[in-house]
Amino acid sequence: MDKKRVVVTGMGVISPVGIGLNPFWQSLISGKSGIDTITRFNTDNFSTRIAGEVKDFKPESYIEKKELKRLDRFAQFAISATKMALEDSGLDTSNIDKSRAGVIIGSGIGGSETWEQQHEILLTKGPKRVSPFFIPMMIANMASGQVSMAFELKGPNFTIVTACASGTNAVGEAFKVIQRDDADIIVAGGTEAPITQLSLAGFSSMKALSTRNDEPHRASRPFDKDRDGFVMGEGAGIIIMETLDHALKRNARIYTEIIGYGSTSDAFHLTQPAPEGEGAARAIKTAIIDAGIHPYEVDYINAHGTSTMLNDKFETMAIKHAFNEHAYKLAISSTKSMTGHLLGATGAVEVIASILTTFKDEIPPTINYDNIDPECDLNYVPNTAVKRCVDVALSNSMGFGGHNACVIVKKYK
């Protein structure tokens, strides 16, 4: 059986740099940072006091008020971004075969805010006061479960949990589900709402976060010599994926074609990437083979680019291993320099950025790139967006536990 061609027809994004596709993209292209001092709780006792919070999010604009109290923030993000993506796609869900429409959404943590709130209730008021909605609000699969119920989508429905690679793995697995003809439509992406006291404390104890508290906009600085850790963010990225035939039959606007997916394991360390980016390089090569293209056909990489010392160094090495001399001709950027690191949502948001790069032929910059690191010597599109024809883009993600995932998109022609 011939593999189905898979295209993207709609996108929705909730991010620290904007809610909605156009505000998100305009912020990226203008090099606008969404990193600022945390406002959701008091951070006086924390070594890190900055994050990429989503500002001005009004969930009641997308979800009925009576439902909101049963949804953790990460699920609210997922449903809201899905509504945006469906509207953007022009898909009439009342006029499709719902048994052939599925949902695959990644989340690294799930309902961390609910967990903390209910734990506090347990300690202060006792077990009988813990909400009966605690478990169904907290478990990570509820983003995909709630989206499927909200829009009555009855096809394949599951959640990917691969830490910071979750969103990319979700898009990649959705691509494979459609490609093998198990669905005509998949709502795919990632969502995360991790900016809580316990999450911040945990990442701070690992010494993983930037402590550039006095300059929040300049704290996330991937590939820069003076980087000192990542900045946590929150949000969701959702894309509507369809078979090409299904999209053409309804005369849909097509953003891009998804052509390749690679997923590997480092099998090395809980939090550190494999030396020289060995696992990431294999994921890139796997995606290129899956896409049926030559490495030199890739024009742009949206890097994982976390702003940590080891990730940026080893991702640079991985790109060199996978592309050889072509690595120096690639345009590479880390949009985390602006959004921060959205953990399980970050891969999906960055796939959206990659899709828009091919659709608009404009490459977002890596901001805060001031001082060259000799070990990071590729073209990271420093500080200013570049207009350039991008036919093929690759999005990289790497997660704690040694998870590596890559998705390749191609300009639809």
Side-chain angles (χ1 to χ4, degrees):
M1 183 178 69
D2 290 338
K3 292 179 180 178
K4 297 286 186 178
R5 292 177 68 183
V6 181
V7 296
V8 173
T9 57
M11 297 185 282
V13 64
I14 295 171
S15 81
V17 297
I19 296 173
L21 213 52
N22 288 332
F24 166 72
W25 182 248
Q26 291 307 314
S27 291
L28 292 188
I29 290 301
S30 62
K32 177 184 174 184
S33 172
I35 312 301
D36 212 335
T37 302
I38 291 171
T39 61
R40 293 179 63 77
F41 52 88
N42 187 303
T43 60
D44 288 350
N45 295 327
F46 289 81
S47 56
T48 291
R49 298 186 290 277
I50 57 176
E53 293 179 324
V54 172
K55 303 288 176 64
D56 302 321
F57 174 59
K58 297 180 174 61
E60 61 275 10
S61 299
Y62 310 96
I63 303 164
E64 290 186 21
K65 283 189 177 180
K66 65 179 182 179
E67 295 294 325
L68 286 177
K69 61 185 178 182
R70 302 179 182 182
L71 296 168
D72 186 271
R73 187 171 169 89
F74 91 111
Q76 293 177 12
F77 284 160
I79 293 170
S80 302
T82 299
K83 190 168 185 180
M84 291 179 203
L86 286 169
E87 288 176 357
D88 184 49
S89 74
L91 190 67
D92 179 2
T93 56
S94 67
N95 194 33
I96 60 172
D97 181 352
K98 293 181 179 179
S99 68
R100 298 275 301 169
V103 185
I104 304 173
I105 297 176
S107 185
I109 299 175
S112 54
E113 189 172 63
T114 295
W115 184 289
E116 289 185 35
Q117 289 170 349
Q118 294 302 312
H119 183 248
E120 180 68 19
I121 289 170
L122 172 67
L123 295 180
T124 58
K125 298 181 180 179
K128 291 184 179 179
R129 297 294 296 274
V130 170
S131 171
F133 295 109
F134 166 52
I135 299 299
M137 286 175 70
M138 175 271 299
I139 49 180
N141 71 297
M142 277 301 167
S144 61
Q146 290 281 7
V147 166
S148 72
M149 287 184 276
F151 302 99
E152 299 180 357
L153 306 177
K154 300 181 178 182
N157 179 267
F158 55 93
T159 293
I160 303 287
V161 182
T162 50
C164 307
S166 300
T168 305
N169 277 130
V171 172
E173 294 300 323
F175 167 57
K176 291 300 174 184
V177 167
I178 297 174
Q179 199 177 55
R180 65 175 180 255
D181 200 29
D182 285 347
D184 299 322
I185 304 162
I186 298 283
V187 173
T191 187
E192 204 82 274
I195 303 175
T196 67
Q197 294 186 66
L198 191 57
S199 295
L200 186 67
F203 281 119
S204 294
S205 293
M206 291 174 62
K207 310 294 184 188
L209 299 177
S210 171
T211 56
R212 199 182 288 257
N213 297 307
D214 296 334
E215 295 182 299
H217 298 327
R218 295 172 56 77
S220 184
R221 42 198 320 111
F223 306 107
D224 183 86
K225 186 179 180 181
D226 297 328
R227 63 194 184 275
D228 72 325
F230 78 84
V231 179
M232 192 160 42
E234 63 176 351
I238 298 292
I239 68 177
I240 308 302
M241 300 164 61
E242 304 180 52
T243 65
L244 177 61
D245 289 345
H246 193 277
L248 291 176
K249 281 179 183 175
R250 66 181 192 87
N251 198 29
R253 182 250 350 265
I254 294 172
Y255 280 111
T256 198
E257 182 173 2
I258 296 180
I259 60 170
Y261 170 52
S263 182
T264 65
S265 174
D266 286 347
F268 172 71
H269 191 273
L270 281 175
T271 59
Q272 293 180 14
E276 299 188 3
E278 180 273 335
R282 282 188 289 111
I284 294 170
K285 290 176 181 178
T286 300
I288 289 170
I289 292 169
D290 186 51
I293 61 174
H294 296 287
Y296 62 77
E297 293 181 73
V298 177
D299 301 302
Y300 168 70
I301 295 177
N302 189 296
H304 190 52
T306 57
S307 188
T308 59
M309 294 306 295
L310 285 180
N311 176 90
D312 295 1
K313 172 185 173 179
F314 287 154
E315 185 174 11
T316 296
M317 297 176 81
I319 292 168
K320 291 177 183 178
H321 288 315
F323 289 96
N324 298 312
E325 286 304 309
H326 184 61
Y328 293 91
K329 299 177 183 176
L330 287 162
I332 303 164
S333 62
S334 172
T335 45
K336 286 186 183 70
S337 60
M338 294 167 277
T339 66
H341 192 340
L342 279 57
L343 307 185
T346 207
V349 169
E350 288 159 11
V351 168
I352 289 173
S354 301
I355 290 167
L356 289 172
T357 298
T358 65
F359 191 67
K360 295 178 178 290
D361 286 328
E362 197 165 8
I363 298 173
T366 304
I367 68 167
N368 300 322
Y369 187 82
D370 300 326
N371 300 301
I372 295 173
D373 181 345
E375 295 184 306
C376 299
D377 60 347
L378 300 176
N379 172 21
Y380 307 109
V381 191
N383 301 314
T384 305
V386 172
K387 289 186 180 295
R388 172 172 163 181
C389 181
V390 178
D391 285 328
V392 178
L394 181 149
S395 188
N396 275 343
S397 291
M398 296 119 198
F400 285 175
H403 305 284
N404 304 295
C406 302
V407 166
I408 298 178
V409 300
K410 183 178 182 180
K411 191 188 296 290
Y412 175 71
K413 297 176 180 178

